[in-house]
Amino acid sequence: MKIVRVQDIIGTEREVSDKQWTSRRLLLKKDGMGFSFHETIIKAGSEHTFWYKNHLEAVYCVAGNGRIKDLATGEVHEITDGTLYALDKHDKHTLYGGTEDMRLICSFNPPVTGREVHDEDGAYIADTD
């Protein structure tokens, strides 16, 4: 059994951030669960374009608000507490922070290692280890 507390991750190598977002990686590939699990904070008013070409991602909003735009279709969906979106087709998308910070719970398959950075397309490079 694994017990992970987000407060124990803050300030460690499992917390990655810039001025617009913070990702706290509660489970990584090395934890052996077959997926990774993250708490991500998207700052109010921020804008992010991502395209996880090598990963599937499910995201559940537990606080705050924002929007997501599917860049293939142009559709825009509101995100509020209780909304889940799943990038089941490796969907290229833009995520917009709303009027308050969004707190998102995210799962990646395959799991991330924790060493990833977004490339020029907004993707994580596939882990080949």
Side-chain angles (χ1 to χ4, degrees):
M1 178 182 300
K2 295 181 183 304
I3 305 296
V4 182
R5 292 182 175 82
V6 74
Q7 63 265 30
D8 296 334
I9 290 172
I10 295 171
T12 73
E13 70 281 349
R14 286 189 179 227
E15 181 181 52
V16 180
S17 64
D18 73 8
K19 293 178 184 177
Q20 301 298 320
W21 57 268
T22 299
S23 177
R24 297 172 180 136
R25 284 89 186 264
L26 290 100
L27 294 173
L28 293 168
K29 180 180 179 179
K30 67 183 175 184
D31 294 306
M33 296 293 295
F35 60 90
S36 57
F37 197 76
H38 313 223
E39 176 188 72
T40 299
I41 308 298
I42 299 293
K43 297 291 184 181
S46 64
E47 181 177 325
H48 316 268
T49 298
F50 300 120
W51 184 18
Y52 295 118
K53 298 179 278 188
N54 303 304
H55 297 82
L56 297 175
E57 183 189 24
V59 178
Y60 184 64
C61 179
V62 296
N65 62 70
R67 295 175 292 128
I68 186 169
K69 181 177 184 179
D70 182 331
L71 295 179
T73 67
E75 290 180 285
V76 177
H77 304 276
E78 295 297 317
I79 301 171
T80 57
D81 182 10
T83 303
L84 178 134
Y85 65 88
L87 303 169
D88 60 336
K89 296 177 183 71
H90 304 279
D91 311 88
K92 188 172 187 179
H93 61 287
T94 300
L95 190 59
Y96 302 93
T99 59
E100 54 190 73
D101 291 355
M102 271 191 297
R103 183 171 168 240
L104 306 172
I105 306 302
C106 314
S107 179
F108 281 88
N109 182 19
V112 301
T113 65
R115 298 183 313 267
E116 293 82 0
V117 294
H118 292 102
D119 70 10
E120 64 278 354
D121 288 329
Y124 288 146
I125 303 297
D127 177 31
T128 56
D129 292 339

